[in-house]
Amino acid sequence: MRPRLHRVSHPPVPVLSESRFFFYENFLSTEINLTMKHFEIKASRLTAGIVLFSSLLGTAAHAAAPANITLLNVSYDPTRELYQSENASFASYWKQKTGQTVTINQSHGGSGKQARAVIDGLEADVVTLALAYDIDAIADTKLLSTNWQQKLPQNSTPYTSTIVFVVRKGNPKGIKNWDDLVKPGISVITPNPKTSGGARWNYLAAWGYKQKQTKSAEQAKAFVKALYKNVPVLDTGARGSTLTFSQRGLGDVLIAWENEAHLILKEFGSDKFEIVAPPVSILAEPPVAVVDKNVEKHGTRKVAEAYLNFLYTPQAQEIIAQNSYRPRSAAAYKKYASQFPDIKLFTVKELFGTWRQAQKAHFNDGGTFDQIYTP
Amino acid sequence: MGYTVFYLSAIVIVPLSTLVFGAFRMDPQAFISTVTSPRVLASYRLSLSTALVAAIFNAVAGFLTAWTLVRYRFPGRKVLDALVDLPFALPTAVAGICFATLYSPVGWIGQILAKADIQLINAPSGIVVALIFIGFPFVVRTVQPVLSELEPEMEESAQSLGANRWQTFRKILLPHLFPALLTGVTLAFARAIGEYGSVIFIAGNLPFKTEIAPLMIMTKLDQFDYDGASAVAFVLLLISFTMLLVLNGIQRWQQKAYQ
């Protein structure tokens, strides 16, 4: 158990004026801004009384303010490097603003497994997972409210990514687009969508490409089936597939997160691999959320919310771009535009509805993925 | 006695009973359709058959290793003896990654096998390789002590009475060693049925082809289907337990026959 030092954390500044500081005006609409303020006020209802009282008096503030706060961010695999930088940046921002020292512990693993860990009692203050369905599953256990995705701007996703291909240097098989993946003799590496969040994005990207092209779900299904015929191994996670492709030399093409693709080039050398951006792909939105029950228990709601809102600030958006995630901020995107090839992106909502619906139709037992494989 | 019962309850029975409760919480119809779905059945078949092949292989290889370590004195014997336990100590995931790297088309052994057009990785034979590795120490460690108590004089007297080598082995050695050998094989087999860490790295995990039963459980958990996972695990537990009972029965019967 991590030590919890306090029940109510409050900075020596009045809480209401502070909530303005959370927002990054440049890319937030007033509408969201208003609901956010509302949420902020409502959310801190439990502690607002005490906080306001002591703030107005201006006394006892220093005595009650804890010197150290610990947050636990439960995240998925590829964000390790991203959050290391973000956490350091947030800690200095928070220290400057409130004088408190905040330590953020990170936990990483497969997105579904991490969600399960939180459901089973891992006391995460915030979760930052690979797809909305995993946070929905946590919401089903009442640890946070089911409308969590409306609580932060842009579907609660401060950064996005997409799905691209990694091929061996020189692209010997001439892979340019999704259609090349179903050609006979091409070996495709992608993890198992049953166990990997990243693989579900891969699957929906391939499906969506075909469905947009042909306007037919039947053809999309046949296309995905043909694609998985070319898959010789289904690793349980995205990192496993990365290793299978890069270390063990299996496969002609790896379907991967854009940020993971950049990492492969960085780690294993751009003299061995190259990235191929398909003309059409999916807008992957890995969402973030405060786990209500846990922050109430730890008294860390204010700092947890500030932490997630911080991810939308210009400073944090820059770190996001540096880690090869696509920033939401237009300014940061422009600055690092050379990293992000022009891909026509479609959303899950556009083609598949909510993540719950997508999960049910494609990945649950008896879904389209199960129908690909027959004895 | 009281201590043993308490200990067994705390360590084995209580955790496993939660599994049984999980399975029984399910609607019987759902339970049956879960555990008899073709994919789950295929995974049971694969897990049991690869575990059995690996255990039989280990019976022979483990026996020979134990024999060599007991009966011969040679430099480095103690080091070899210590090496036998390594599969116990090593995280099985590490073993899995080593095998996958070694047998991949660009790996040391994989390159040679690729020339002969043999593919071990991402095939049932790869699973057997991993299971042989993790089960090996069980056979050696159960046979070794019995073997070292058998005196070479017994074999010598058998031979001086005119028995050939096969007869000596069959009539003198085997009856003594059989119970220990069977225990070792049983343990290796039981361990192999449940093995997850090393196998998933080398199996390829393709549905109906190389998907082991423990992976089915993980897959269900990742869909937050706790009940389904309990159901698959419960049947796996039932199969393992039945196998252990049968093997124990054979052992007892064998011992009686010998006495």
Side-chain angles (χ1 to χ4, degrees), chain B residues 171-228:
Chain B
K171 301 262 157 126
I172 307 296
L173 281 178
L174 204 59
H176 276 100
L177 290 174
F178 189 75
L181 192 63
L182 197 62
T183 307
V185 172
T186 310
L187 287 173
F189 177 66
R191 175 81 178 75
I193 291 177
E195 174 60 16
Y196 176 75
S198 62
V199 175
I200 52 156
F201 288 100
I202 197 170
N205 309 326
L206 289 179
F208 295 108
K209 284 190 197 128
T210 53
E211 207 173 38
I212 54 167
L215 179 68
M216 286 308 305
I217 298 170
M218 291 307 285
T219 307
K220 296 232 180 282
L221 282 178
D222 275 334
Q223 294 167 56
F224 309 106
D225 179 7
Y226 287 62
D227 290 348

Side-chain angles (χ1 to χ4, degrees), chain B residues 4-255:
Chain B
T4 313
V5 170
F6 170 75
Y7 195 73
L8 263 178
S9 312
I11 305 285
V12 181
I13 298 173
V14 170
L16 289 185
S17 64
T18 61
L19 177 67
V20 176
F21 285 131
F24 276 101
R25 208 172 42 220
M26 271 180 103
D27 171 43
Q29 200 106 49
F31 178 87
I32 287 171
S33 73
T34 302
V35 298
T36 56
S37 80
R39 209 160 141 199
V40 173
L41 285 180
S43 76
Y44 285 142
R45 255 196 307 276
L46 180 72
S47 272
L48 290 172
S49 58
T50 50
L52 192 67
V53 173
I56 291 169
F57 183 92
N58 272 334
V60 179
F63 177 79
L64 289 176
T65 310
W67 180 267
T68 312
L69 288 175
V70 170
R71 285 295 161 88
Y72 296 92
R73 291 287 170 273
F74 53 93
R77 188 180 66 93
K78 291 232 165 87
V79 178
L80 272 187
D81 200 26
L83 269 179
V84 170
D85 287 330
L86 219 54
F88 278 152
L90 201 68
T92 51
V94 176
I97 293 168
C98 292
F99 284 131
T101 310
L102 205 58
Y103 291 109
S104 82
V106 294
W108 290 351
I109 302 180
Q111 273 175 341
I112 303 165
L113 290 177
K115 272 181 202 138
D117 222 16
I118 301 169
Q119 200 194 5
L120 264 185
I121 193 172
N122 305 331
S125 46
I127 302 177
V128 173
V129 171
L131 295 182
I132 287 172
F133 176 81
I134 55 131
F136 180 65
F138 288 99
V139 179
V140 181
R141 287 298 179 240
T142 48
V143 171
Q144 213 175 4
V146 182
L147 201 55
S148 60
E149 274 178 22
L150 278 185
E151 290 170 9
E153 283 83 355
M154 264 171 54
E155 295 151 53
E156 282 161 20
S157 50
Q159 267 163 6
S160 72
L161 290 171
N164 62 27
R165 293 185 84 142
W166 170 245
Q167 280 172 324
T168 318
F169 175 77
R170 176 74 194 78
K171 301 262 157 126
I172 307 296
L173 281 178
L174 204 59
H176 276 100
L177 290 174
F178 189 75
L181 192 63
L182 197 62
T183 307
V185 172
T186 310
L187 287 173
F189 177 66
R191 175 81 178 75
I193 291 177
E195 174 60 16
Y196 176 75
S198 62
V199 175
I200 52 156
F201 288 100
I202 197 170
N205 309 326
L206 289 179
F208 295 108
K209 284 190 197 128
T210 53
E211 207 173 38
I212 54 167
L215 179 68
M216 286 308 305
I217 298 170
M218 291 307 285
T219 307
K220 296 232 180 282
L221 282 178
D222 275 334
Q223 294 167 56
F224 309 106
D225 179 7
Y226 287 62
D227 290 348
S230 306
V232 176
F234 178 69
V235 172
L236 195 61
L237 189 76
L238 220 59
I239 296 172
S240 305
F241 190 64
T242 317
M243 295 257 175
L244 291 178
L245 269 183
V246 168
L247 284 164
N248 265 335
I250 295 177
Q251 209 169 337
R252 197 139 315 150
W253 167 77
Q254 161 75 20
Q255 252 162 348

Side-chain angles (χ1 to χ4, degrees), chain A residues 113 116 120 194 234 365 370, chain B residues 39 204-205 220 222 226:
Chain A
K113 285 182 188 58
R116 223 171 51 235
D120 292 341
K194 290 259 184 184
L234 286 171
D365 281 353
D370 278 351
Chain B
R39 209 160 141 199
N205 309 326
K220 296 232 180 282
D222 275 334
Y226 287 62

